[in-house]
Amino acid sequence: MPKAKLIAVEQLRTLNELLGRVSDPERAEHARRALEFAYKEHPEDLERVPLGDYVDKLAKLHFGVSGHRADFAFAHWHVPRLEDFSPLWIRQAIVVEMKKLAGRREGLLLVTGLREAVCPVGKYWTKQREAQYQRVRDWIDELVCAWATRGSRLQVVVL
């Protein structure tokens, strides 16, 4: 299996553990078993399906179709590959996701694909790309803080 997909599997395992802390432990165990089954029995599927799709399926296993509990909300933004990361474009995407978290005391915003969007496969990670990645991360953090519900506990995870 390619190195990138092994990393994706590890990211999904880590995310499952994180989500297991805020959802039902039985669901976390079910999701862990499903991940292991997919990894062992259908590795070719892991190579074809984007990480963002697996994240959404994992969230459904933990929270159901709505992605919410009464006191906890989950939102996922998969960054598309673009040449230009303008603050306006990022603002629009983050605001859409933050609206999904509105009104909950706790929430998790998961951002996937940022590293790949900044540095496509086959390209080198340069100081310029590192600076662009950090600039986008800073924009995300600023927007999340600005749009978070007062008094809420919000986690932002970038995979």
Side-chain angles (χ1 to χ4, degrees), residues 119-143:
C119 186
V121 175
K123 302 290 183 179
Y124 291 103
W125 190 258
T126 62
K127 288 184 180 186
Q128 182 180 6
R129 285 194 170 109
E130 175 66 31
Q132 183 180 28
Y133 176 83
Q134 194 56 52
R135 186 172 54 249
V136 174
R137 286 288 319 265
D138 291 344
W139 288 336
I140 290 169
D141 290 343
E142 288 173 20
L143 287 165

PDB file of all heavy atoms in Angstrom, residues 119-143:
ATOM      1  N   CYS A 119       0.531  21.616  -1.146  1.00  0.00           N
ATOM      2  CA  CYS A 119       1.634  20.912  -1.804  1.00  0.00           C
ATOM      3  C   CYS A 119       1.112  19.637  -2.454  1.00  0.00           C
ATOM      4  O   CYS A 119       1.076  18.583  -1.804  1.00  0.00           O
ATOM      5  CB  CYS A 119       2.736  20.600  -0.793  1.00  0.00           C
ATOM      6  SG  CYS A 119       4.205  19.881  -1.547  1.00  0.00           S
ATOM      7  N   PRO A 120       0.705  19.704  -3.722  1.00  0.00           N
ATOM      8  CA  PRO A 120       0.167  18.530  -4.404  1.00  0.00           C
ATOM      9  C   PRO A 120       1.181  17.383  -4.451  1.00  0.00           C
ATOM     10  O   PRO A 120       2.388  17.595  -4.363  1.00  0.00           O
ATOM     11  CB  PRO A 120      -0.130  19.047  -5.816  1.00  0.00           C
ATOM     12  CG  PRO A 120      -0.189  20.538  -5.683  1.00  0.00           C
ATOM     13  CD  PRO A 120       0.716  20.893  -4.558  1.00  0.00           C
ATOM     14  N   VAL A 121       0.654  16.180  -4.618  1.00  0.00           N
ATOM     15  CA  VAL A 121       1.495  14.993  -4.716  1.00  0.00           C
ATOM     16  C   VAL A 121       2.514  15.175  -5.832  1.00  0.00           C
ATOM     17  O   VAL A 121       2.180  15.657  -6.910  1.00  0.00           O
ATOM     18  CB  VAL A 121       0.620  13.738  -4.971  1.00  0.00           C
ATOM     19  CG1 VAL A 121       1.489  12.509  -5.194  1.00  0.00           C
ATOM     20  CG2 VAL A 121      -0.342  13.522  -3.818  1.00  0.00           C
ATOM     21  N   GLY A 122       3.749  14.815  -5.543  1.00  0.00           N
ATOM     22  CA  GLY A 122       4.817  14.932  -6.531  1.00  0.00           C
ATOM     23  C   GLY A 122       5.571  16.244  -6.471  1.00  0.00           C
ATOM     24  O   GLY A 122       6.562  16.420  -7.168  1.00  0.00           O
ATOM     25  N   LYS A 123       5.114  17.167  -5.654  1.00  0.00           N
ATOM     26  CA  LYS A 123       5.788  18.459  -5.494  1.00  0.00           C
ATOM     27  C   LYS A 123       6.590  18.447  -4.197  1.00  0.00           C
ATOM     28  O   LYS A 123       6.358  17.628  -3.314  1.00  0.00           O
ATOM     29  CB  LYS A 123       4.777  19.616  -5.461  1.00  0.00           C
ATOM     30  CG  LYS A 123       3.900  19.706  -6.677  1.00  0.00           C
ATOM     31  CD  LYS A 123       4.693  20.132  -7.876  1.00  0.00           C
ATOM     32  CE  LYS A 123       3.761  20.296  -9.074  1.00  0.00           C
ATOM     33  NZ  LYS A 123       4.456  20.734 -10.239  1.00  0.00           N
ATOM     34  N   TYR A 124       7.501  19.383  -4.078  1.00  0.00           N
ATOM     35  CA  TYR A 124       8.339  19.472  -2.884  1.00  0.00           C
ATOM     36  C   TYR A 124       7.762  20.467  -1.888  1.00  0.00           C
ATOM     37  O   TYR A 124       7.179  21.480  -2.259  1.00  0.00           O
ATOM     38  CB  TYR A 124       9.760  19.895  -3.250  1.00  0.00           C
ATOM     39  CG  TYR A 124      10.500  18.832  -4.017  1.00  0.00           C
ATOM     40  CD1 TYR A 124      10.669  18.943  -5.392  1.00  0.00           C
ATOM     41  CD2 TYR A 124      11.013  17.718  -3.367  1.00  0.00           C
ATOM     42  CE1 TYR A 124      11.337  17.968  -6.100  1.00  0.00           C
ATOM     43  CE2 TYR A 124      11.682  16.733  -4.068  1.00  0.00           C
ATOM     44  CZ  TYR A 124      11.844  16.865  -5.433  1.00  0.00           C
ATOM     45  OH  TYR A 124      12.500  15.898  -6.128  1.00  0.00           O
ATOM     46  N   TRP A 125       7.954  20.156  -0.607  1.00  0.00           N
ATOM     47  CA  TRP A 125       7.540  21.049   0.466  1.00  0.00           C
ATOM     48  C   TRP A 125       8.638  22.084   0.627  1.00  0.00           C
ATOM     49  O   TRP A 125       9.731  21.780   1.069  1.00  0.00           O
ATOM     50  CB  TRP A 125       7.354  20.247   1.762  1.00  0.00           C
ATOM     51  CG  TRP A 125       6.693  21.050   2.832  1.00  0.00           C
ATOM     52  CD1 TRP A 125       7.313  21.633   3.898  1.00  0.00           C
ATOM     53  CD2 TRP A 125       5.313  21.362   2.951  1.00  0.00           C
ATOM     54  NE1 TRP A 125       6.397  22.298   4.668  1.00  0.00           N
ATOM     55  CE2 TRP A 125       5.157  22.145   4.106  1.00  0.00           C
ATOM     56  CE3 TRP A 125       4.193  21.067   2.188  1.00  0.00           C
ATOM     57  CZ2 TRP A 125       3.924  22.628   4.528  1.00  0.00           C
ATOM     58  CZ3 TRP A 125       2.970  21.546   2.600  1.00  0.00           C
ATOM     59  CH2 TRP A 125       2.855  22.313   3.755  1.00  0.00           C
ATOM     60  N   THR A 126       8.354  23.305   0.243  1.00  0.00           N
ATOM     61  CA  THR A 126       9.349  24.374   0.266  1.00  0.00           C
ATOM     62  C   THR A 126       9.037  25.356   1.387  1.00  0.00           C
ATOM     63  O   THR A 126       7.976  25.295   2.013  1.00  0.00           O
ATOM     64  CB  THR A 126       9.335  25.134  -1.073  1.00  0.00           C
ATOM     65  OG1 THR A 126       8.039  25.738  -1.237  1.00  0.00           O
ATOM     66  CG2 THR A 126       9.621  24.203  -2.244  1.00  0.00           C
ATOM     67  N   LYS A 127       9.949  26.281   1.618  1.00  0.00           N
ATOM     68  CA  LYS A 127       9.711  27.324   2.617  1.00  0.00           C
ATOM     69  C   LYS A 127       8.522  28.183   2.220  1.00  0.00           C
ATOM     70  O   LYS A 127       7.737  28.601   3.071  1.00  0.00           O
ATOM     71  CB  LYS A 127      10.956  28.189   2.803  1.00  0.00           C
ATOM     72  CG  LYS A 127      12.059  27.489   3.531  1.00  0.00           C
ATOM     73  CD  LYS A 127      13.218  28.407   3.780  1.00  0.00           C
ATOM     74  CE  LYS A 127      14.315  27.648   4.523  1.00  0.00           C
ATOM     75  NZ  LYS A 127      15.401  28.516   4.913  1.00  0.00           N
ATOM     76  N   GLN A 128       8.365  28.418   0.931  1.00  0.00           N
ATOM     77  CA  GLN A 128       7.226  29.200   0.450  1.00  0.00           C
ATOM     78  C   GLN A 128       5.913  28.468   0.725  1.00  0.00           C
ATOM     79  O   GLN A 128       4.938  29.072   1.172  1.00  0.00           O
ATOM     80  CB  GLN A 128       7.368  29.484  -1.039  1.00  0.00           C
ATOM     81  CG  GLN A 128       6.249  30.338  -1.599  1.00  0.00           C
ATOM     82  CD  GLN A 128       6.421  30.597  -3.092  1.00  0.00           C
ATOM     83  OE1 GLN A 128       7.309  30.060  -3.736  1.00  0.00           O
ATOM     84  NE2 GLN A 128       5.547  31.433  -3.628  1.00  0.00           N
ATOM     85  N   ARG A 129       5.886  27.166   0.474  1.00  0.00           N
ATOM     86  CA  ARG A 129       4.675  26.383   0.756  1.00  0.00           C
ATOM     87  C   ARG A 129       4.421  26.313   2.252  1.00  0.00           C
ATOM     88  O   ARG A 129       3.270  26.345   2.691  1.00  0.00           O
ATOM     89  CB  ARG A 129       4.787  24.994   0.141  1.00  0.00           C
ATOM     90  CG  ARG A 129       4.597  25.020  -1.361  1.00  0.00           C
ATOM     91  CD  ARG A 129       4.381  23.631  -1.909  1.00  0.00           C
ATOM     92  NE  ARG A 129       3.980  23.697  -3.292  1.00  0.00           N
ATOM     93  CZ  ARG A 129       4.747  23.341  -4.310  1.00  0.00           C
ATOM     94  NH1 ARG A 129       5.953  22.857  -4.095  1.00  0.00           N
ATOM     95  NH2 ARG A 129       4.300  23.448  -5.548  1.00  0.00           N
ATOM     96  N   GLU A 130       5.460  26.185   3.039  1.00  0.00           N
ATOM     97  CA  GLU A 130       5.304  26.180   4.498  1.00  0.00           C
ATOM     98  C   GLU A 130       4.689  27.491   4.967  1.00  0.00           C
ATOM     99  O   GLU A 130       3.790  27.507   5.811  1.00  0.00           O
ATOM    100  CB  GLU A 130       6.654  25.954   5.182  1.00  0.00           C
ATOM    101  CG  GLU A 130       6.606  26.057   6.689  1.00  0.00           C
ATOM    102  CD  GLU A 130       5.789  24.971   7.370  1.00  0.00           C
ATOM    103  OE1 GLU A 130       5.720  23.848   6.846  1.00  0.00           O
ATOM    104  OE2 GLU A 130       5.215  25.251   8.430  1.00  0.00           O
ATOM    105  N   ALA A 131       5.160  28.604   4.423  1.00  0.00           N
ATOM    106  CA  ALA A 131       4.616  29.917   4.791  1.00  0.00           C
ATOM    107  C   ALA A 131       3.149  30.028   4.375  1.00  0.00           C
ATOM    108  O   ALA A 131       2.317  30.541   5.129  1.00  0.00           O
ATOM    109  CB  ALA A 131       5.441  31.019   4.138  1.00  0.00           C
ATOM    110  N   GLN A 132       2.819  29.531   3.199  1.00  0.00           N
ATOM    111  CA  GLN A 132       1.425  29.568   2.743  1.00  0.00           C
ATOM    112  C   GLN A 132       0.544  28.699   3.635  1.00  0.00           C
ATOM    113  O   GLN A 132      -0.555  29.102   4.025  1.00  0.00           O
ATOM    114  CB  GLN A 132       1.329  29.090   1.293  1.00  0.00           C
ATOM    115  CG  GLN A 132      -0.070  29.167   0.730  1.00  0.00           C
ATOM    116  CD  GLN A 132      -0.141  28.685  -0.700  1.00  0.00           C
ATOM    117  OE1 GLN A 132       0.650  27.854  -1.127  1.00  0.00           O
ATOM    118  NE2 GLN A 132      -1.101  29.202  -1.449  1.00  0.00           N
ATOM    119  N   TYR A 133       1.020  27.499   3.976  1.00  0.00           N
ATOM    120  CA  TYR A 133       0.288  26.593   4.861  1.00  0.00           C
ATOM    121  C   TYR A 133       0.029  27.275   6.210  1.00  0.00           C
ATOM    122  O   TYR A 133      -1.099  27.254   6.716  1.00  0.00           O
ATOM    123  CB  TYR A 133       1.092  25.305   5.046  1.00  0.00           C
ATOM    124  CG  TYR A 133       0.481  24.327   6.009  1.00  0.00           C
ATOM    125  CD1 TYR A 133      -0.517  23.451   5.591  1.00  0.00           C
ATOM    126  CD2 TYR A 133       0.886  24.268   7.343  1.00  0.00           C
ATOM    127  CE1 TYR A 133      -1.081  22.537   6.461  1.00  0.00           C
ATOM    128  CE2 TYR A 133       0.320  23.360   8.219  1.00  0.00           C
ATOM    129  CZ  TYR A 133      -0.660  22.504   7.780  1.00  0.00           C
ATOM    130  OH  TYR A 133      -1.218  21.613   8.656  1.00  0.00           O
ATOM    131  N   GLN A 134       1.060  27.885   6.781  1.00  0.00           N
ATOM    132  CA  GLN A 134       0.907  28.535   8.082  1.00  0.00           C
ATOM    133  C   GLN A 134      -0.037  29.726   7.996  1.00  0.00           C
ATOM    134  O   GLN A 134      -0.834  29.963   8.907  1.00  0.00           O
ATOM    135  CB  GLN A 134       2.272  28.965   8.633  1.00  0.00           C
ATOM    136  CG  GLN A 134       2.230  29.326  10.088  1.00  0.00           C
ATOM    137  CD  GLN A 134       1.684  28.189  10.943  1.00  0.00           C
ATOM    138  OE1 GLN A 134       2.147  27.057  10.871  1.00  0.00           O
ATOM    139  NE2 GLN A 134       0.685  28.479  11.751  1.00  0.00           N
ATOM    140  N   ARG A 135       0.028  30.468   6.887  1.00  0.00           N
ATOM    141  CA  ARG A 135      -0.870  31.616   6.701  1.00  0.00           C
ATOM    142  C   ARG A 135      -2.328  31.144   6.667  1.00  0.00           C
ATOM    143  O   ARG A 135      -3.199  31.728   7.325  1.00  0.00           O
ATOM    144  CB  ARG A 135      -0.496  32.349   5.408  1.00  0.00           C
ATOM    145  CG  ARG A 135      -1.253  33.623   5.186  1.00  0.00           C
ATOM    146  CD  ARG A 135      -0.728  34.427   3.997  1.00  0.00           C
ATOM    147  NE  ARG A 135      -0.661  33.672   2.760  1.00  0.00           N
ATOM    148  CZ  ARG A 135       0.470  33.294   2.137  1.00  0.00           C
ATOM    149  NH1 ARG A 135       1.638  33.609   2.654  1.00  0.00           N
ATOM    150  NH2 ARG A 135       0.422  32.626   1.004  1.00  0.00           N
ATOM    151  N   VAL A 136      -2.596  30.064   5.950  1.00  0.00           N
ATOM    152  CA  VAL A 136      -3.960  29.539   5.874  1.00  0.00           C
ATOM    153  C   VAL A 136      -4.392  29.015   7.239  1.00  0.00           C
ATOM    154  O   VAL A 136      -5.525  29.246   7.671  1.00  0.00           O
ATOM    155  CB  VAL A 136      -4.076  28.449   4.783  1.00  0.00           C
ATOM    156  CG1 VAL A 136      -5.440  27.798   4.804  1.00  0.00           C
ATOM    157  CG2 VAL A 136      -3.798  29.055   3.409  1.00  0.00           C
ATOM    158  N   ARG A 137      -3.508  28.314   7.946  1.00  0.00           N
ATOM    159  CA  ARG A 137      -3.825  27.835   9.299  1.00  0.00           C
ATOM    160  C   ARG A 137      -4.187  28.995  10.217  1.00  0.00           C
ATOM    161  O   ARG A 137      -5.142  28.911  10.991  1.00  0.00           O
ATOM    162  CB  ARG A 137      -2.636  27.075   9.914  1.00  0.00           C
ATOM    163  CG  ARG A 137      -2.361  25.696   9.395  1.00  0.00           C
ATOM    164  CD  ARG A 137      -3.386  24.677   9.844  1.00  0.00           C
ATOM    165  NE  ARG A 137      -3.834  24.781  11.197  1.00  0.00           N
ATOM    166  CZ  ARG A 137      -3.361  24.118  12.246  1.00  0.00           C
ATOM    167  NH1 ARG A 137      -2.389  23.265  12.077  1.00  0.00           N
ATOM    168  NH2 ARG A 137      -3.871  24.276  13.448  1.00  0.00           N
ATOM    169  N   ASP A 138      -3.428  30.070  10.135  1.00  0.00           N
ATOM    170  CA  ASP A 138      -3.718  31.250  10.959  1.00  0.00           C
ATOM    171  C   ASP A 138      -5.078  31.846  10.606  1.00  0.00           C
ATOM    172  O   ASP A 138      -5.848  32.233  11.496  1.00  0.00           O
ATOM    173  CB  ASP A 138      -2.618  32.304  10.801  1.00  0.00           C
ATOM    174  CG  ASP A 138      -1.295  31.878  11.403  1.00  0.00           C
ATOM    175  OD1 ASP A 138      -1.269  30.912  12.209  1.00  0.00           O
ATOM    176  OD2 ASP A 138      -0.265  32.502  11.060  1.00  0.00           O
ATOM    177  N   TRP A 139      -5.404  31.923   9.317  1.00  0.00           N
ATOM    178  CA  TRP A 139      -6.712  32.434   8.902  1.00  0.00           C
ATOM    179  C   TRP A 139      -7.821  31.561   9.463  1.00  0.00           C
ATOM    180  O   TRP A 139      -8.830  32.063   9.949  1.00  0.00           O
ATOM    181  CB  TRP A 139      -6.833  32.492   7.385  1.00  0.00           C
ATOM    182  CG  TRP A 139      -6.031  33.556   6.713  1.00  0.00           C
ATOM    183  CD1 TRP A 139      -5.569  34.727   7.259  1.00  0.00           C
ATOM    184  CD2 TRP A 139      -5.596  33.557   5.362  1.00  0.00           C
ATOM    185  NE1 TRP A 139      -4.873  35.431   6.326  1.00  0.00           N
ATOM    186  CE2 TRP A 139      -4.870  34.748   5.142  1.00  0.00           C
ATOM    187  CE3 TRP A 139      -5.736  32.657   4.312  1.00  0.00           C
ATOM    188  CZ2 TRP A 139      -4.302  35.061   3.911  1.00  0.00           C
ATOM    189  CZ3 TRP A 139      -5.171  32.979   3.084  1.00  0.00           C
ATOM    190  CH2 TRP A 139      -4.464  34.165   2.901  1.00  0.00           C
ATOM    191  N   ILE A 140      -7.632  30.258   9.391  1.00  0.00           N
ATOM    192  CA  ILE A 140      -8.644  29.333   9.912  1.00  0.00           C
ATOM    193  C   ILE A 140      -8.840  29.569  11.399  1.00  0.00           C
ATOM    194  O   ILE A 140      -9.976  29.710  11.874  1.00  0.00           O
ATOM    195  CB  ILE A 140      -8.250  27.865   9.621  1.00  0.00           C
ATOM    196  CG1 ILE A 140      -8.350  27.577   8.126  1.00  0.00           C
ATOM    197  CG2 ILE A 140      -9.136  26.905  10.416  1.00  0.00           C
ATOM    198  CD1 ILE A 140      -7.735  26.249   7.709  1.00  0.00           C
ATOM    199  N   ASP A 141      -7.757  29.640  12.153  1.00  0.00           N
ATOM    200  CA  ASP A 141      -7.852  29.856  13.602  1.00  0.00           C
ATOM    201  C   ASP A 141      -8.554  31.171  13.932  1.00  0.00           C
ATOM    202  O   ASP A 141      -9.414  31.224  14.817  1.00  0.00           O
ATOM    203  CB  ASP A 141      -6.471  29.825  14.247  1.00  0.00           C
ATOM    204  CG  ASP A 141      -5.856  28.436  14.262  1.00  0.00           C
ATOM    205  OD1 ASP A 141      -6.599  27.440  14.072  1.00  0.00           O
ATOM    206  OD2 ASP A 141      -4.630  28.343  14.452  1.00  0.00           O
ATOM    207  N   GLU A 142      -8.209  32.243  13.215  1.00  0.00           N
ATOM    208  CA  GLU A 142      -8.832  33.543  13.463  1.00  0.00           C
ATOM    209  C   GLU A 142     -10.336  33.509  13.176  1.00  0.00           C
ATOM    210  O   GLU A 142     -11.142  34.039  13.951  1.00  0.00           O
ATOM    211  CB  GLU A 142      -8.166  34.617  12.596  1.00  0.00           C
ATOM    212  CG  GLU A 142      -6.766  34.981  13.049  1.00  0.00           C
ATOM    213  CD  GLU A 142      -6.066  35.927  12.078  1.00  0.00           C
ATOM    214  OE1 GLU A 142      -6.767  36.592  11.271  1.00  0.00           O
ATOM    215  OE2 GLU A 142      -4.830  35.980  12.114  1.00  0.00           O
ATOM    216  N   LEU A 143     -10.702  32.902  12.071  1.00  0.00           N
ATOM    217  CA  LEU A 143     -12.119  32.833  11.709  1.00  0.00           C
ATOM    218  C   LEU A 143     -12.913  31.978  12.684  1.00  0.00           C
ATOM    219  O   LEU A 143     -14.039  32.328  13.050  1.00  0.00           O
ATOM    220  CB  LEU A 143     -12.275  32.293  10.291  1.00  0.00           C
ATOM    221  CG  LEU A 143     -11.876  33.265   9.193  1.00  0.00           C
ATOM    222  CD1 LEU A 143     -11.703  32.538   7.871  1.00  0.00           C
ATOM    223  CD2 LEU A 143     -12.920  34.369   9.076  1.00  0.00           C
TER     224      LEU A 143
END
